[in-house]
Amino acid sequence: MTSIFTFRCAASAAAVLALVGCGSATVGGGGSPARAKWVSPVMTTPDGGQLRTTIYYGPWQCSAAFLSRCESKCAAQGYPLRGCMWLADIKGDWQGRYLFMPAEAGGRMAITHCCCDYPTVSNGRQLREKWKNAREGFRRQWGSEFGEWPSTNGANWQGHHIFDLAHGGPPVAPDNVLPVPQDVHQVFNDEYPACYAPGGKWLTPGPARPYAD
């Protein structure tokens, strides 16, 4: 999994300039439009700059490079790789001053999930309850950094667990929950079992640039 909240390193000019070091940098373009998109309000960064965040939603098949990374990760944990889902891309655009001069910078980070052949857990209900109890506080914390938690017609978007709770994903870890519109969340939920099944499409490499901005 590529951490979402590693994107917090984009809080200063130097960090944004080095964003490719924070996660898997990607470039939009080359495919059909993303399934959905969220654009944040402009947020002030600690250095006095301004940052706007855009999230593009898949899911897409992982590139060959992402699949290779997942294969190594799963093997290191003692599990075979069943599939890899490229769930979303996070794009940051920063404006401010760097070395006393006006500056602009930005980058992208892929949000992926490696479907290693993990066993399902027996305490899934408890993990869901833990998330349910922490959900409102999590949304407030997220909003303080990226703008108000996304909603549609007053209904909050779902908090999607990248490493799913059914296989033991952490329920309240900041780098494991992504706000997702309801229809996209349903697609994610429908495709996760296929990603964990052997020999499915999620084990087939996709393009390096799966969507257009």
Side-chain angles (χ1 to χ4, degrees):
M1 179 185 68
T2 299
S3 168
I4 306 168
F5 285 81
T6 305
F7 199 68
R8 289 174 178 165
C9 63
S12 69
V16 177
L17 290 168
L19 187 59
V20 293
C22 303
S24 298
T26 61
V27 179
S32 58
R35 189 179 300 272
K37 182 175 75 170
W38 176 77
V39 180
S40 78
V42 174
M43 303 293 289
T44 301
T45 58
D47 58 10
Q50 294 185 324
L51 178 68
R52 185 184 294 276
T53 303
T54 304
I55 306 177
Y56 299 91
Y57 293 93
W60 308 285
Q61 291 165 296
C62 288
S63 65
F66 291 164
L67 275 168
S68 178
R69 185 185 63 190
C70 279
E71 189 170 24
S72 297
K73 174 184 176 180
C74 294
Q77 297 177 2
Y79 300 103
L81 174 64
R82 294 304 192 193
C84 173
M85 294 178 66
W86 186 345
L87 301 169
D89 242 24
I90 300 182
K91 177 175 178 282
D93 294 295
W94 176 88
Q95 291 182 329
R97 300 186 71 82
Y98 184 68
L99 298 178
F100 309 106
M101 298 290 290
E104 296 182 2
R108 298 178 191 250
M109 184 174 63
I111 306 302
T112 62
H113 176 55
C114 304
C115 298
C116 308
D117 192 21
Y118 299 123
T120 56
V121 298
S122 59
N123 64 336
R125 178 174 295 181
Q126 290 89 337
L127 295 178
R128 290 183 181 88
E129 283 299 315
K130 186 173 183 179
W131 162 245
K132 182 178 179 181
N133 293 336
R135 184 169 51 196
E136 291 305 318
F138 187 98
R139 288 171 176 164
R140 287 193 297 271
Q141 177 61 33
W142 194 94
S144 70
E145 300 196 33
F146 297 99
E148 187 176 356
W149 184 272
S151 63
T152 300
N153 297 325
N156 285 318
W157 286 12
Q158 297 291 326
H160 175 73
H161 288 84
I162 299 165
F163 182 4
D164 56 302
L165 301 183
H167 290 88
V172 295
D175 62 352
N176 196 43
V177 182
L178 177 72
V180 176
Q182 181 59 46
D183 57 340
V184 177
H185 190 241
Q186 187 61 54
V187 173
F188 286 179
N189 287 342
D190 290 345
E191 292 294 345
Y192 262 59
C195 186
Y196 282 106
K201 71 174 184 178
W202 298 108
L203 199 56
T204 301
R209 301 180 181 181
Y211 70 96
D213 283 7

